[in-house]
Amino acid sequence: MFAILRKEINTFFTSIIGYLVIALFLTVNGLFLWLFHGEFNILDNGFADLNSFFLLAPWIFIFLISAITMRSFADEKKQGTLELLLTKPISLFKIVLGKYFGALALILLALIPTLLYVYTVYQLGNPVGNLDLASTFGSYLGLLFLAAAFTSIGLFCSSLTDNQIVAFIASVFISLLFYIGFEGLADFLSSNFIEQLGMNAHYKSMSRGVIATRDVAYFLSITLLFLILSQISISQKTFNKKTYLPSIVLVLAFGTLTFTKSIYKRFDLTSDKRYTLSDAAIDIVQSAESPLIVDVFLQSDNLPSEFRRLQTETKQILEEFAAKNNQINFQFINPLEDETSRDQNIQQLMNRGLTPMQVTVQESGKSSQEVIFPWALASYNGVTVKIPLVKNKIGAAIQELATNSIQHLEYTFADGFSKLINPKRKKIAILKGNGQLQDAYIFDFVKSIKDYYFIAPFTLDSVSNSPLKTLKGIQEYDLIISAKPTKPFTEEEKYVLDQYTMSGGKSLWLMDAVAMEKDSLYNETGTAIATRRDLNLTDFFFKYGVRVNPVLVNDLYSAKITLATGEGSQSQFQQLPWFYSPLVNATVNHPVVNNLNLIRFDFANQIDTLENNIAKTVLLESSILSKLDGTPREISLDMTTKEPQPDLYTNGNQNLAVLLEGNFTSVYNNRIKPINYSDDKTTSAPTKLLVIADGDVIKNDLGKNGPQELGFDRWTGQTYGNKEFLVNAVNYLLDENGLINIRTKEVAIAFLDVQKTSKEKTKWRMLNILVPIAVLVTFGLIFNFVRRKKYAK
């Protein structure tokens, strides 16, 4: 067998055709990956990975491998040496293996120069070395399995004929059939089983660094099958079952393993495990019992590379979901493809709340604007939800936007699927009766969570007449929300709320310890007095472990206020600095605040955390350039015209939102109870409580047409992260299956160093196109020199 292997290699490299075939492979790869503009160009895409190479290589392999293998048996038949070979004291299968491994060795030699691509991306990464080597290794492994299968097909085709051209054409045809033919047939017949018969269904997972037993088993079964067929084809004897039975059994075993889920193992070699779904996401998707249809509108022929990557990652995450449950079906739709229906489609999508996005496309040194819809619609049992694909963040560059969006994909789809599949079970009470915000001001927030939970108002007024009935009624809810109370709580009301907490109830408090509204400044003097607001809750929160102080957080990193300047027809609106509106960028890696847009506060207070046995997590805090203004004090719009004094902003980060978790001790422990309650509890079951030191965080503005979107600033057009923060907070407080924790999953998208790439582009192009050819030429000269010297003796 090894003699045949050496003969195959020697024969290939003594012919100029062999060098031309490998040179063509390296040249085509080099031109498409490094020189020609397009989706395969690594330098233009800007990502520090080799995804383009592993997407392009299979198509070139189909022709390269067919060219390498076409002469294996066809040439032997034409020259009449096959009969002589069959008379040698070696089994048929070893003859086939010798030819097979000889061809495969040549393909491996052709791949070695492509390791230069790995080095190039490694050096151009930002920073240097920003390349997932484990994932790249897994992708190369997938390419080798694909090459092994193509080689066995090429060998079989060569065994059928004595004409090399016929063998080449047949090999290309069968390879294409197995690579994409079954996939096309599966789309036509809507059959997942037929798709699994094709190579692309198994290679595309391996090409991104995910190695699964079923994929390995598939390629081994295909390879072995065609090797057996090659053996049968060259055999001059009648078919003998006993001779081929062990091999056939092995093929069937590998084939069975391909479609068996019980022993399925999967190894995600990516450094961030981005293609491994969390248990919570798997539980959700596996519970779908009828078709769940996903229509993705992020489809266009002219997308920036960052959005093409988002498109690819979206497809891949949906493939992971579909692999867990064949009820998940998805398709990508370009709503703007047909010019005749373009405007109508845009209007229909906007009516459904899917806002378009305008992106800049750079092509051949020219910029153009492209309209896209970065949304998906998921439908299940007649109900549809919209799923955003882009994770906006104010001031974020397009690379950061792409990273944030890709990191958010698993959660956004799992969350959307959860809305559809899991019926609402939890109940939320919106507290009333203590001057909380009116319904119109929390409308958008309530609308955002109503798909998840049952929501109802709950008034504590009845405590004075029927305290036990009120306590029993509130305990039917899983979460209470008090949105900016302005009237003091009585001791009886506090006791009901305390016992609610002791029974394991969760709560979300949005507190204003200072009475001050921005509207009160819009008067002739432009001033108002900020005073302490006594809600009679100091001891309540103090016992639990926090204190909301009646001070105002003055932060240099803040939003602007819109004021009219000038008089009469000369007046105009201006954006002026307003340091009582901190803009908060969450820095902790917690599921509630991870990967959020900036959150806007107005007249926020400061929170102290106190020592006790409760776990406390500061979710949001002001910037380091903050100071505290005591009350009472006069607030004036004149602040906007004065330069701040940075040396006064020395109080550092101030706590604005604190999460408390654990077993709470009752506020009325060892105290006289205001209500005679026989089932009084002094220690709670494990529960959670979130305190936010600003009631305006939840408040949406009111426009001419009613409530506006929470966090939307109509003057700047910016949308802050208030709504997502609060929705995340509610989901976390009520989360049973850990779905919200997916938000902490870090997905690291590696980028090239733009400046270095631009500066050294020519050098790396020449290196990757010419050096592999130079290596091949050098190898050929040395090989032939050694061979001539050997046979000259």
Side-chain angles (χ1 to χ4, degrees):
M1 185 180 78
F2 290 105
I4 296 174
L5 188 154
R6 287 195 299 270
K7 174 180 173 293
E8 288 295 307
I9 294 176
N10 285 329
T11 303
F12 188 85
F13 282 114
T14 54
S15 167
I16 190 65
I17 303 246
Y19 294 100
L20 288 176
V21 168
I22 294 180
L24 186 62
F25 168 73
L26 296 173
T27 301
V28 171
N29 270 308
L31 292 175
F32 274 95
L33 296 175
W34 304 103
L35 185 62
F36 295 161
H37 293 289
E39 61 177 299
F40 294 112
N41 193 296
I42 293 174
L43 299 178
D44 288 348
N45 287 344
F47 294 100
D49 57 43
L50 289 170
N51 288 352
S52 298
F53 170 62
F54 296 115
L55 183 64
L56 176 67
W59 296 97
I60 305 177
F61 262 0
I62 289 174
F63 297 92
L64 168 71
I65 295 173
S66 297
I68 289 176
T69 58
M70 67 182 182
R71 54 162 298 280
S72 296
F73 286 113
D75 194 44
E76 300 274 9
K77 285 185 175 185
K78 186 174 183 179
Q79 295 182 17
T81 56
L82 181 60
E83 290 79 3
L84 181 63
L85 184 62
L86 296 177
T87 63
K88 299 291 183 181
I90 183 173
S91 68
L92 284 177
F93 197 63
K94 286 186 177 180
I95 293 175
V96 172
L97 286 180
K99 295 277 189 180
Y100 173 77
F101 284 119
L104 192 59
L106 296 173
I107 297 161
L108 292 177
L109 288 174
L111 274 178
I112 289 175
T114 66
L115 295 176
L116 182 60
Y117 304 162
V118 179
Y119 173 76
T120 301
V121 174
Y122 185 92
Q123 290 295 322
L124 290 178
N126 185 18
V128 173
N130 191 19
L131 172 66
D132 192 342
L133 291 175
S135 174
T136 304
F137 167 77
S139 301
Y140 264 106
L141 195 60
L143 196 59
L144 290 178
F145 275 109
L146 185 68
F150 281 158
T151 304
S152 66
I153 292 173
L155 204 66
F156 167 68
C157 294
S158 181
S159 71
L160 296 175
T161 179
D162 61 359
N163 189 312
Q164 294 185 32
I165 302 301
V166 173
F168 175 82
I169 295 172
S171 176
V172 169
F173 174 77
I174 296 177
S175 297
L176 283 171
L177 174 65
F178 271 85
Y179 187 62
I180 59 168
F182 284 107
E183 190 175 53
L185 186 60
D187 290 339
F188 179 74
L189 299 176
S190 299
S191 172
N192 184 62
F193 175 77
I194 293 178
E195 183 181 11
Q196 292 301 309
L197 294 176
M199 292 183 184
N200 193 37
H202 299 277
Y203 170 71
K204 62 187 175 185
S205 180
M206 301 180 79
S207 70
R208 56 181 186 255
V210 180
I211 309 300
T213 52
R214 67 171 60 165
D215 299 328
V216 173
Y218 170 83
F219 284 113
L220 290 177
S221 63
I222 292 294
T223 301
L224 189 56
L225 172 64
F226 279 97
L227 290 179
I228 294 171
L229 292 176
S230 299
Q231 180 184 353
I232 295 172
S233 176
I234 65 171
S235 176
Q236 297 177 340
K237 300 178 182 179
T238 58
F239 182 78
N240 188 334
K241 291 182 180 180
K242 292 184 179 180
T243 303
Y244 299 104
L245 184 60
S247 298
I248 293 172
V249 170
L250 197 57
V251 171
L252 292 175
F254 283 132
T256 303
L257 186 60
T258 302
F259 297 99
T260 301
K261 293 185 177 181
S262 58
I263 53 176
Y264 172 73
K265 296 294 181 183
R266 183 176 181 277
F267 305 94
D268 186 350
L269 300 183
T270 57
S271 59
D272 48 22
K273 307 299 179 189
R274 73 179 64 179
Y275 303 119
T276 300
L277 297 178
S278 65
D279 292 338
I282 294 173
D283 289 342
I284 289 170
V285 77
Q286 286 183 337
S287 60
E289 297 177 350
S290 56
L292 196 161
I293 310 299
V294 182
D295 294 325
V296 183
F297 299 103
L298 186 61
Q299 179 77 358
S300 175
D301 296 329
N302 192 26
L303 287 174
S305 60
E306 291 82 4
F307 282 88
R308 284 203 305 270
R309 183 58 175 268
L310 176 60
Q311 181 189 58
T312 301
E313 295 283 345
T314 300
K315 184 177 182 180
Q316 290 172 348
I317 201 71
L318 286 172
E319 287 172 350
E320 295 297 328
F321 278 116
K324 298 299 180 183
N325 189 338
N326 57 16
Q327 297 285 4
I328 309 297
N329 300 291
F330 64 91
Q331 61 178 337
F332 282 71
I333 301 170
N334 184 357
L336 310 180
E337 186 175 18
D338 187 354
E339 289 292 337
T340 59
S341 60
R342 176 187 174 99
D343 293 339
Q344 181 182 353
N345 291 342
I346 290 176
Q347 191 59 48
Q348 288 179 350
L349 292 175
M350 292 181 66
N351 290 341
R352 303 191 73 163
L354 278 60
T355 54
M357 183 176 184
Q358 196 170 59
V359 296
T360 302
V361 180
Q362 298 284 347
E363 187 174 1
S364 302
K366 297 180 180 179
S367 297
S368 60
Q369 297 296 315
E370 183 81 5
V371 175
I372 62 171
F373 279 88
W375 294 87
L377 290 177
S379 303
Y380 182 77
N381 291 339
V383 180
T384 301
V385 298
K386 59 182 183 180
I387 298 174
L389 303 180
V390 168
K391 191 73 176 58
N392 282 312
K393 193 168 187 179
I394 296 173
I398 191 167
Q399 289 187 351
E400 185 182 357
L401 183 71
T403 300
N404 291 342
S405 301
I406 292 169
Q407 181 173 316
H408 195 62
L409 283 176
E410 182 182 349
Y411 175 75
T412 194
F413 277 109
D415 183 53
F417 295 163
S418 180
K419 290 180 187 178
L420 295 170
I421 297 170
N422 296 327
K424 293 188 286 187
R425 295 185 298 272
K426 301 288 187 177
K427 298 173 66 177
I428 297 176
I430 307 294
L431 292 187
K432 301 291 183 182
N434 293 89
Q436 283 92 348
L437 288 173
Q438 298 176 14
D439 292 345
Y441 289 105
I442 60 172
F443 176 84
D444 191 57
F445 167 72
V446 172
K447 184 181 73 171
S448 301
I449 61 172
K450 69 180 179 63
D451 292 332
Y452 301 84
Y453 312 104
F454 295 106
I455 304 170
F458 192 92
T459 305
L460 293 174
D461 292 348
S462 58
V463 168
S464 57
N465 298 323
S466 305
L468 298 183
K469 182 180 178 181
T470 304
L471 177 56
K472 185 177 180 180
I474 200 172
Q475 287 176 339
E476 294 179 359
Y477 292 89
D478 302 286
L479 172 71
I480 59 172
I481 299 176
S482 185
K484 195 176 181 178
T486 56
K487 296 179 181 178
F489 288 76
T490 66
E491 290 300 319
E492 290 80 6
E493 291 171 339
K494 287 163 56 180
Y495 181 76
V496 167
L497 294 172
D498 174 72
Q499 287 302 298
Y500 168 80
T501 302
M502 294 304 105
S503 64
K506 283 85 171 177
S507 52
L508 171 60
W509 291 86
L510 296 103
M511 308 289 297
D512 272 354
V514 174
M516 184 65 213
E517 302 293 335
K518 191 183 293 183
D519 291 345
S520 63
L521 294 170
Y522 299 139
N523 54 49
E524 292 183 359
T525 62
T527 61
I529 304 297
T531 59
R532 181 177 183 271
R533 173 176 283 149
D534 184 11
L535 297 173
N536 193 30
L537 291 175
T538 302
D539 60 333
F540 184 83
F541 290 113
F542 189 93
K543 186 69 175 182
Y544 293 160
V546 293
R547 178 173 53 210
V548 182
N549 294 309
V551 294
L552 293 175
V553 176
N554 189 323
D555 190 347
L556 288 184
Y557 189 65
S558 55
K560 296 181 182 298
I561 190 172
T562 303
L563 298 176
T565 59
E567 296 182 359
S569 60
Q570 301 299 317
S571 64
Q572 58 183 353
F573 292 103
Q574 281 191 328
Q575 298 286 311
L576 301 170
W578 185 245
F579 305 129
Y580 287 122
S581 292
L583 286 181
V584 179
N585 185 22
T587 56
V588 297
N589 185 25
H590 191 278
V592 173
V593 294
N594 188 48
N595 198 13
L596 280 186
N597 204 343
L598 294 173
I599 300 163
R600 176 172 177 162
F601 285 71
D602 276 307
F603 297 111
N605 312 137
Q606 179 257 356
I607 303 176
D608 282 334
T609 57
L610 310 169
E611 288 287 339
N612 62 8
N613 63 339
I614 300 298
K616 305 173 189 67
T617 305
V618 177
L619 297 180
L620 298 174
E621 58 185 10
S622 66
S623 79
I624 196 170
L625 297 174
S626 301
K627 70 185 184 78
L628 297 177
D629 291 344
T631 55
R633 72 180 303 109
E634 183 181 80
I635 307 294
S636 174
L637 292 177
D638 287 343
M639 174 194 289
T640 60
T641 62
K642 298 177 180 178
E643 285 292 326
Q645 300 178 40
D647 57 316
L648 299 179
Y649 289 80
T650 57
N651 291 124
N653 305 108
Q654 301 299 316
N655 301 335
L656 301 178
V658 178
L659 173 68
L660 298 92
E661 300 174 276
N663 300 95
F664 292 78
T665 300
S666 172
V667 175
Y668 292 90
N669 185 34
N670 299 322
R671 287 175 56 184
I672 297 175
K673 280 68 173 176
I675 297 173
N676 186 17
Y677 182 43
S678 59
D679 196 23
D680 177 82
K681 295 181 177 64
T682 58
T683 304
S684 78
T687 189
K688 306 170 187 176
L689 183 148
L690 175 58
V691 179
I692 303 171
D694 179 19
D696 291 315
V697 169
I698 198 173
K699 183 180 179 181
N700 58 250
D701 289 335
L702 297 181
K704 293 181 179 179
N705 299 320
Q708 294 185 334
E709 182 180 3
L710 174 58
F712 177 72
D713 185 346
R714 60 193 176 99
W715 298 105
T716 63
Q718 301 280 8
T719 300
Y720 298 102
N722 295 44
K723 179 163 65 174
E724 188 176 4
F725 163 58
L726 292 171
V727 171
N728 289 345
V730 171
N731 289 342
Y732 180 81
L733 292 171
L734 292 176
D735 194 18
E736 290 180 336
N737 56 16
L739 175 62
I740 188 70
N741 292 317
I742 301 175
R743 289 182 49 79
T744 60
K745 183 176 180 178
E746 294 288 340
V747 175
I749 305 299
F751 292 94
L752 299 178
D753 187 321
V754 177
Q755 293 183 345
K756 185 176 181 181
T757 300
S758 178
K759 182 179 179 181
E760 302 178 3
K761 182 179 293 187
T762 302
K763 179 183 92 173
W764 292 108
R765 280 175 172 170
M766 299 291 288
L767 189 69
N768 285 282
I769 295 174
L770 299 181
V771 169
I773 303 299
V775 170
L776 178 64
V777 171
T778 304
F779 172 81
L781 292 173
I782 294 174
F783 180 86
N784 284 281
F785 172 78
V786 172
R787 188 171 182 276
R788 282 197 302 270
K789 189 174 182 180
K790 177 181 177 180
Y791 288 104
K793 298 178 180 179

